[in-house]
Every structure is written in C-alpha cells, then in structure tokens.
Amino acid sequence: MTAGQPAMMASLIEESLTPNGSATLFTDAQWFDALLHFESGLARAQAACGLIPASAAAAISHACANVELERSAFVERAQRTGALGIGLVDPLRAFLAQHAKDAVPYLHWGTTTQDAVDTAHALLTKTALSALLQELTGLHAALRTLARTHAHTPILARSLLQPAQVTSFGLKCAQSAGAIQRSIEQLRALSEHALCVQLGGAVGNRATLGEQAQRVERALASELGLTACGHSWHTQRDTWMRLAMEAAVCAGSLAKLAKDWSLMSQFEVGELTEAPRGRTSSAMPHKRNAVYCMQAIAQTQPVPGIAANLLSAMPQAHERALGEWQAELSMWAPLWRHVYAAAAALRHSAEGLHVHSSRMQAHIDSLYEVVFSESCSDALAAITGSDAAQRAIERLAPQALAERLPLSALLVDWVQSQYGAEPAHAATQALAMATDPARAVQASAACCIALLADDLAHPMK
C-alpha cells in the first residue's frame, strides 16, 4: 500500500522536546496505510462470509495496495464534505473504475466513514500503545535496578518540600516502578476491549450487513489484528476513553518522577545527575541541565488539558456526532505522542542516572539530627515522659541548627540538667540508636524490598 506522500514531520519545537530515537506516531502515511488496510480487510472479510464475490475482494485489495492517495486532495475533499472517508473512497473508486469496474459496487459496502476512521484509529493506537509499552517496560526495569542497588541508601524524605525524615532512594525508585507497572497492566487490560473494529454502518445498526454483521466483524478483526466487540461504538465512547484516561494517569506518574528527579538534580541539592551529554547551555558552559527530565515535564504538561478535552467530547449527539467526534480525532494523537515521548525521556534518564549517595548523606548530616525528632521523642519518652520530650525537642531543634550542634547532645544535656546523671546516661544510649541513619533507613529498605518482591509476584506479560 502506498500513500503517495511523505510522512508529515513534527514541528521544530516538538522534535526538540522529543528524545533521540523516539518513534513517529500517527503520521499521514500511517493514517493512509491504516485506512487502506480497513478497506482491503473489509472486502476480504465480506468475501469470506459470502457477501461479495472473491474476485471483487481481490480487486479491492489490489486497489488498496496500488492507489496513490494525495494528501492535498484528501484534505480538500474532507474540508468540502466534512467526511474523511470520501477522500479515501473516491480515489479507490476511480482506480477500480479503470482497472476492475465490476468491483466498484462492492467497495466500502455496508459501512460508513466513521467505521473506516475509527478502525484505522484503533490500528494506529495499537502501534502507539506498543511503542509506549516498550518504553515503559524499559523504564520499569531501570527503576527496579536502581531500587535494588539503593534499597539501603539513606536520603532525606521531603514533606511540603521541607526535610522530613530519612527514607531510602531505593524506596523512591520502587514506588515509581510500582506506579509504572500498574499503568502497564491497566493499559494492556483496557486495550483488549478498546482496540476493536468499528462496523456500525450508517446509523450503527448494521442494517446492510444484517445477520452476517457479526461474522463480518469477527473476520475483519482477525484480518486486522483487532478485537471484535460485537456492537457499534459510534457515539458510545466509554471503553475507548478509559484507555485514553489511563494513558493520562500514566503521564501523571511520569511527571511526578521527572519533577522529583529534576529537584534532586539542582546543583544546590546535587543528589542526582543525568549522564553527561556535553554542553547544555548556550551561554553558561558549566551547566549540566537535566535535559531528559525537562523533556518529560514539557511533554506531560499538556496532558491533563487534553484528557479534559477528550472527556468533554463524549456527549456525541444521537447516532453520529456533529463536531464532538471530529474534535476527539484531533486530540487523540497528541495525547499518545506526549505520553510516549515522556516515557522515552525518562527511560534514557534512568538508564544513565548518576546517584550521589555521599551527597544524600551530607544533607542528612547537615541537619544535625533534627530530622530524627520523632525517633528522639520516642527514645526519651520512657525517661522523661512523652510531653516533656516533645517540648524539649521543639525548643532545642532550632538551637541545634543555629549552633550546628547535634540535637542528641543538646537533649542529653537537658536530661542531665533536669533528671540527673543516670537518666542522662540512658538517654545517651537511646538517642544514639534513634539518630543512626543506617537504623533509620531500615523501614524504608524493608518497604523497598517488599515492593520489589510484590512486583515479581505479578510479572508483566
């Protein structure tokens, strides 16, 4: 099958925000190819069911393989008529009139424009989903490797962007891996129902095909590698939209990961850096920008708006929409392109990520044990009582930071002044355990290991 026109390239800006090697999805050439696949597959399916002559099906397949679809003429017909399918059917009819006139009555028989376009869209989405799943699987594997390697690597947990407690970098990676895995599983499960043939005919009742409609649908689905859902979905878009919404949810998980890593890559933080790639600033040669994180954030930024607009296109009037379906068509491809590009960017980032564990530990040390305030309170509760311990920590934590003194030392002095030497000795031992980063990270490491084990218990197909 030939499209007669080169694939339309992404814009200069779009390409600059897409990682090298990213696939091109939903191009003009792919659209033409998918539409032609629908017409040839439909003819073969109808012939297999005895509804049209086998010779007509062969002629239609030959036409689909050899017709030249000119982009400008296709667009002009669609603009003039409002029907995308006319730009497909008219050239095929002209080709058949010249080469196999007897087959003309059987072309596009029993079907309509939206059948062709929706089915072609399902084919293109299947390709896009396959590309996305490949990137997500690669990212998931890289995150699991980071999680295993850094299960016991202490790092500051941040709450409301402020230092909170000690967690592990491995746990952060395992949590992201879990989110990615859940999206992979959901996308696969939803695609089994959403990526299906559309074969409703003029008003969705399959009147022309009659009792043979389901046989033709199953045969066409087999030809195209899609699902046969058994009904028309011209204006009932719920199953289709659930797949799109899961892609949007996946984009949210990707955006969260990119945001965290970009914050950790700031020079003042310095806990992560992406693999070196040469100069990343036109004016400041010293800079080492987190380019992949930047690309992922830029790509995911439009997704919530696209998802909302797709949902707003669902109230499609009666048996064929006047504008809503057409609006959906225009927004569908950008959603998948954005999510795919973000996943590709983060896979590149994860596979080359440099983890600076010494910097992570330095940030913990720079807080002079105040991040262990909860464990210090628990450690002192048996000696001083819980309320007294919490009041003392609240008063002494700012002093620890201001004077750059370990919180535990100040607390021991307080205990000694208030309760005597023996309680102070007990407090020294208890606080030494409460402020040990290696001990503090154990809970996060255990959660990380449990998440990885759960991941293995639910292997992705």
Side-chain angles (χ1 to χ4, degrees), residues 26 47 73 78-79 191 203 217 284 288 299 348 358 380 394 454:
F26 298 93
Q79 289 174 335
S191 68
V203 296
E217 181 194 23
M284 295 169 283
R288 186 168 168 182
Q299 291 287 354
H348 284 297
S358 61
L380 292 178
E394 185 177 359
D454 185 64

Side-chain angles (χ1 to χ4, degrees), residues 254-275:
L254 295 170
K256 187 267 190 294
L257 178 60
K259 180 64 67 67
D260 282 359
W261 282 5
S262 63
L263 290 172
M264 295 166 71
S265 297
Q266 293 180 103
F267 179 79
E268 305 92 310
V269 181
E271 294 172 343
L272 300 176
T273 50
E274 291 184 348

Side-chain angles (χ1 to χ4, degrees), residues 439-461:
R439 182 173 179 271
V441 82
Q442 287 177 3
S444 295
C447 288
C448 175
I449 293 167
L451 281 175
L452 292 174
D454 185 64
D455 203 357
L456 285 176
H458 300 87
M460 296 178 295
K461 297 179 182 178

